[in-house]
Coordinates of all heavy atoms in Angstrom, one line a residue:
V29 N -71.2 63.8 77.0 CA -70.0 62.7 77.0 C -69.0 63.2 77.8 O -68.0 64.0 77.5 CB -69.6 62.6 75.5 CG1 -68.6 61.5 75.5 CG2 -70.8 62.2 74.6
Q32 N -64.8 62.5 77.3 CA -64.2 63.3 76.3 C -63.9 64.7 76.8 O -62.8 65.2 76.6 CB -65.0 63.4 75.0 CG -64.9 62.4 74.0 CD -65.6 62.7 72.7 OE1 -66.8 63.3 72.8 NE2 -65.2 62.1 71.6
N33 N -64.9 65.3 77.4 CA -64.7 66.7 77.9 C -63.7 66.7 78.9 O -62.8 67.7 79.0 CB -66.1 67.2 78.4 CG -67.1 67.3 77.3 OD1 -66.9 67.6 76.1 ND2 -68.3 67.1 77.6
S34 N -63.7 65.8 79.9 CA -62.7 65.8 80.9 C -61.3 65.7 80.4 O -60.3 66.5 80.8 CB -63.0 64.6 81.9 OG -64.1 64.7 82.6
F35 N -61.1 64.9 79.5 CA -59.8 64.7 78.7 C -59.4 66.1 78.1 O -58.2 66.5 78.2 CB -59.7 63.6 77.7 CG -58.5 63.5 77.0 CD1 -57.4 62.8 77.5 CD2 -58.6 64.1 75.6 CE1 -56.3 62.8 76.6 CE2 -57.3 64.0 74.8 CZ -56.2 63.3 75.4
L36 N -60.3 66.6 77.2 CA -60.0 67.8 76.6 C -59.7 69.0 77.5 O -58.7 69.9 77.2 CB -61.1 68.2 75.6 CG -60.9 69.4 74.7 CD1 -59.7 69.2 73.8 CD2 -62.1 69.8 73.8
I37 N -60.4 69.1 78.6 CA -60.1 70.1 79.6 C -58.7 70.0 80.2 O -58.0 71.0 80.3 CB -61.2 70.1 80.7 CG1 -62.5 70.6 80.3 CG2 -60.7 71.0 82.0 CD1 -63.6 70.4 81.2
S40 N -56.2 71.0 77.6 CA -56.2 72.5 77.3 C -55.5 73.2 78.4 O -54.8 74.2 78.2 CB -57.7 73.0 77.2 OG -58.3 72.3 76.1
T46 N -53.7 70.5 72.0 CA -55.2 70.7 72.1 C -56.0 70.7 70.8 O -56.9 70.1 70.7 CB -55.5 72.0 72.8 OG1 -54.7 72.0 74.1 CG2 -56.9 72.0 73.3
V50 N -59.1 68.5 69.5 CA -60.3 69.1 69.1 C -60.7 68.5 67.8 O -61.8 68.1 67.5 CB -60.2 70.6 69.1 CG1 -61.4 71.2 68.5 CG2 -60.1 71.2 70.5
F53 N -61.9 64.9 67.9 CA -63.2 64.7 68.4 C -64.3 65.1 67.4 O -65.3 64.5 67.3 CB -63.4 65.5 69.7 CG -62.6 64.8 70.8 CD1 -62.2 65.6 71.9 CD2 -62.2 63.5 70.9 CE1 -61.5 65.1 73.0 CE2 -61.5 62.9 71.8 CZ -61.1 63.7 72.9
I166 N -68.3 71.3 66.5 CA -67.2 72.2 66.3 C -67.3 73.3 67.3 O -66.4 73.7 68.0 CB -67.4 73.0 64.8 CG1 -67.1 71.8 63.8 CG2 -66.4 74.1 64.7 CD1 -67.3 72.2 62.4
V167 N -68.5 74.0 67.5 CA -68.7 75.0 68.5 C -68.4 74.6 69.9 O -67.6 75.3 70.6 CB -70.2 75.6 68.4 CG1 -70.4 76.6 69.6 CG2 -70.5 76.2 67.1
W168 N -68.9 73.4 70.3 CA -68.6 72.9 71.7 C -67.1 72.7 72.0 O -66.6 73.2 73.0 CB -69.3 71.7 72.0 CG -69.0 71.1 73.3 CD1 -68.4 70.0 73.5 CD2 -69.4 71.6 74.6 NE1 -68.1 69.8 74.9 CE2 -68.9 70.8 75.6 CE3 -70.0 72.7 75.0 CZ2 -69.0 70.9 76.9 CZ3 -70.2 72.9 76.4 CH2 -69.6 72.1 77.3
F169 N -66.4 71.9 71.1 CA -65.0 71.5 71.4 C -64.0 72.7 71.2 O -63.1 72.9 72.0 CB -64.7 70.3 70.6 CG -65.3 69.0 70.9 CD1 -66.0 68.3 70.0 CD2 -65.1 68.6 72.1 CE1 -66.7 67.1 70.4 CE2 -65.8 67.3 72.6 CZ -66.5 66.6 71.7
V170 N -64.4 73.6 70.2 CA -63.4 74.6 70.0 C -63.6 75.6 71.2 O -62.7 76.2 71.8 CB -63.6 75.4 68.6 CG1 -63.0 76.7 68.7 CG2 -63.3 74.6 67.6
G171 N -64.9 75.9 71.5 CA -65.3 76.8 72.6 C -64.8 76.2 74.0 O -64.1 77.1 74.7
L172 N -64.9 74.9 74.3 CA -64.5 74.4 75.5 C -62.9 74.6 75.7 O -62.4 75.0 76.7 CB -64.8 72.9 75.6 CG -64.5 72.2 76.9 CD1 -65.1 72.8 78.2 CD2 -64.9 70.7 76.7
S173 N -62.2 74.1 74.6 CA -60.7 74.3 74.7 C -60.2 75.6 74.8 O -59.3 76.0 75.5 CB -60.1 73.5 73.5 OG -60.5 74.2 72.3
T174 N -60.8 76.6 74.0 CA -60.4 78.0 74.1 C -60.7 78.7 75.4 O -59.8 79.3 76.0 CB -61.1 78.8 72.9 OG1 -60.9 78.1 71.7 CG2 -60.7 80.2 73.0
L175 N -61.8 78.4 76.0 CA -62.2 79.0 77.2 C -61.3 78.5 78.5 O -60.9 79.2 79.2 CB -63.7 78.8 77.6 CG -64.3 79.5 78.7 CD1 -64.2 80.9 78.4 CD2 -65.7 79.0 79.0
T176 N -61.0 77.2 78.4 CA -60.2 76.5 79.3 C -58.7 77.0 79.3 O -58.1 77.4 80.3 CB -60.2 74.9 79.1 OG1 -61.5 74.5 79.2 CG2 -59.3 74.3 80.3
A177 N -58.2 77.1 78.0 CA -56.9 77.7 77.9 C -56.7 79.0 78.3 O -55.7 79.5 78.9 CB -56.4 77.6 76.4
K178 N -57.8 79.8 78.1 CA -57.8 81.3 78.5 C -57.6 81.4 80.0 O -57.0 82.4 80.4 CB -59.1 81.9 78.0 CG -59.1 83.5 78.2 CD -60.4 84.2 77.6 CE -60.4 85.5 78.0 NZ -61.6 86.3 77.4

Side-chain angles (χ1 to χ4, degrees):
V29 183
Q32 272 188 334
N33 294 332
S34 295
F35 173 81
L36 185 59
I37 289 171
S40 299
T46 309
V50 166
F53 291 157
I166 294 171
V167 170
W168 173 254
F169 288 124
V170 171
L172 180 64
S173 62
T174 301
L175 192 62
T176 302
K178 183 176 180 179

